[in-house]
Amino acid sequence: LVAQAFAEWKNAPCPGGGTPNFQVHFQGFVSCDRRQTVCGPSDENVNTILFRDLDWPTDMPSVAGLTVPIGSTKSGFVIDADVALNSTYFNFDPSVSDGRQSVELIRVLTHELGHFLGLAHSDVDGALMSIYYNELPMGASILSADDVDAICAIYPPSASPAVCEATSPAYDVCSDDEISATNPCALPAETTEDSAAGCSIGKSAPLDGSRLV
C-alpha cells in the first residue's frame, strides 16, 4: 500500500507531458517502534512509516496522520522524516466496525506522503492535500488537478531520471543517540541538495477538527 501511495505521486501526469522526477526506495521493516531521529548526516537516518495503535497523543485524537520532518532551521536541509498513522482512534479497514472512526488508509497515506515529498496543505476544494479528509471526493482518482500541478512543480519531469542511492541495510533497532531536549544536535554542514532529486518535505502542524495533517 505504501508503494501504491508513492506511485500515485510518481505517476501523476504532468502538464506538458512526463511524470514527477523523484525516486524512493523500500529498505525493509524495522523493529524500532517509535519515531526517532539520530544526530548525524541524512544517511544515518531512515524515514519510517508507523502505525500508532496505543499511544497516539491524547491532545490530537482527530488527527489521522502526522508527518514530522527534522532538519536544520538555518540551511533547510532535512535529515529525517517519519510518518505516523493514528490507528489508536481511527479504523483504516472499512470492512471492520469497532467504534473507531473509519477512513480510507490509501488516502491518509497518500496525503501524508505528499507532505513527505514537500507539499503543504492546499486550500483548493477536492484536493487530496486539503486539510479535511471527510471533504475529499470518493471517486476513482485520488489526486486532483491541484495535487498534480503541485507535485509536478516541485519535481518537474526531466530527461535525466532522478538518482537517489539507498543506504543499506536500514537500521533495525532504536538508537540510544536519539535527538531530544536533553540531547541536542549540531547538524553537519549540509547546505545543498539537488532540487530534482532531493528529499524535501513540507512542515505541517496539527490543527483543530477531524483532518489529515
Side-chain angles (χ1 to χ4, degrees):
L1 200 60
V2 173
Q4 180 183 343
F6 269 122
E8 289 288 340
W9 294 112
K10 179 64 177 173
N11 297 328
C14 295
T19 58
N21 188 30
F22 68 84
Q23 190 176 64
V24 294
H25 296 276
F26 174 65
Q27 293 179 257
F29 298 98
V30 296
S31 62
C32 184
D33 59 356
R34 67 178 186 269
R35 182 188 64 78
Q36 70 166 200
T37 301
V38 177
C39 186
S42 55
D43 60 3
E44 292 186 9
N45 284 283
V46 175
N47 304 311
T48 57
I49 298 174
L50 309 169
F51 285 90
R52 299 278 292 274
D53 294 336
L54 301 173
D55 59 348
W56 190 264
T58 57
D59 61 340
M60 51 180 186
S62 60
V63 175
L66 185 66
T67 300
V68 181
I70 301 293
S72 172
T73 57
K74 293 183 179 180
S75 69
F77 192 90
V78 175
I79 63 169
D80 185 48
D82 297 321
V83 175
L85 300 172
N86 180 4
S87 48
T88 302
Y89 296 99
F90 282 84
N91 170 26
F92 295 116
D93 183 354
S95 67
V96 175
S97 178
D98 58 7
R100 293 176 297 169
Q101 185 170 348
S102 294
V103 63
E104 285 186 303
L105 177 56
I106 185 59
R107 291 183 181 274
V108 178
L109 190 54
T110 307
H111 176 103
E112 292 306 323
L113 294 182
H115 285 315
F116 176 89
L117 290 168
L119 301 180
H121 283 138
S122 171
D123 59 3
V124 174
D125 290 341
L128 178 73
M129 294 309 298
S130 62
I131 295 177
Y132 294 99
Y133 70 86
N134 56 354
E135 295 180 2
L136 298 178
M138 302 299 289
S141 178
I142 292 180
L143 301 185
S144 70
D146 181 70
D147 298 312
V148 171
D149 288 346
I151 196 66
C152 293
I154 59 174
Y155 298 102
S158 173
S160 300
V163 177
C164 184
E165 295 297 330
T167 56
S168 182
Y171 72 78
D172 184 45
V173 298
C174 294
S175 171
D176 294 330
D177 189 30
E178 183 176 359
I179 297 175
S180 66
T182 58
N183 184 34
C185 176
L187 294 179
E190 298 177 282
T191 58
T192 62
E193 59 182 315
D194 186 337
S195 61
C199 298
S200 302
I201 59 176
K203 184 177 181 181
S204 60
L207 303 172
D208 295 333
S210 297
R211 59 190 68 183
L212 299 173
V213 174

